[in-house]
């Protein structure tokens, strides 16, 4: 099932959280329209997949990002301080099989 189909069936969510253990880029490609806020899991060893997801989200209109280290359910960013290039450059500095978390997009 696609994200678009879920939105069609259940309505537009305030936040869409995607955590599918490395298949985030595939799942996010099933979204064809920008919604308010997306967060998705990243892990440093998945950088190429993460960069594909970020590029797709930028094509939908997302332009501000935030990196969350780890995943705490109640966490919400205070600001989205990174543009796409800053986000990618920051992720390139992370340590494989050590660093992971959530990327927030608006």
């Amino acid at each position: 099932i696609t994200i678009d189909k879920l939105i069609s069936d259940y309505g537009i969510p305030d936040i869409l959280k995607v955590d599918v253990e490395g298949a985030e880029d595939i799942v996010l490609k099933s979204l064809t329209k920008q919604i308010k806020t997306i967060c998705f899991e990243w892990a440093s060893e998945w950088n190429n997949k993460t960069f594909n997801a970020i590029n797709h989200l930028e094509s939908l209109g997302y332009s501000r990002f935030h990196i969350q280290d780890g995943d705490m359910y109640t966490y919400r960013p205070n600001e989205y301080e990174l543009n796409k290039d800053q986000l990618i450059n920051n992720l390139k500095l992370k340590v494989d099989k050590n660093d992971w978390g959530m990327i927030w997009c608006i």
Side-chain angles (χ1 to χ4, degrees):
I1 190 167
T2 67
I3 295 174
D4 284 350
K5 174 70 170 135
L6 289 169
I7 289 171
S8 174
D9 290 350
Y10 299 102
I12 299 170
D14 291 329
I15 296 174
L16 173 65
K17 180 177 182 177
V18 178
D19 183 348
V20 290
E21 304 305 318
E24 284 75 8
D25 61 328
I26 295 167
V27 171
L28 288 169
K29 284 181 182 173
S30 75
L31 177 68
T32 60
K33 297 178 192 127
Q34 186 175 9
I35 60 173
K36 184 176 178 183
T37 305
I38 290 180
C39 68
F40 67 96
E41 185 179 29
W42 66 272
S44 53
E45 62 269 20
W46 306 335
N47 269 352
N48 288 335
K49 293 178 179 186
T50 301
F51 300 160
N52 288 339
I54 293 165
N55 286 325
H56 174 68
L57 293 171
E58 181 189 45
S59 77
L60 298 179
Y62 294 91
S63 61
R64 304 302 303 163
F65 304 91
H66 175 81
I67 298 173
Q68 174 189 354
D69 292 318
D71 183 13
M72 187 167 56
Y73 182 72
T74 59
Y75 181 88
R76 298 293 182 274
N78 290 326
E79 64 179 305
Y80 292 78
E81 71 283 4
L82 303 172
N83 65 34
K84 182 192 92 166
D85 293 333
Q86 292 168 323
L87 172 65
I88 288 173
N89 288 334
N90 194 309
L91 292 173
K92 287 178 179 178
L93 299 174
K94 302 296 185 176
V95 178
D96 278 1
K97 303 210 184 249
N98 183 57
D99 294 328
W100 67 278
M102 302 300 289
I103 295 174
W104 290 78
C105 315
I106 57 171

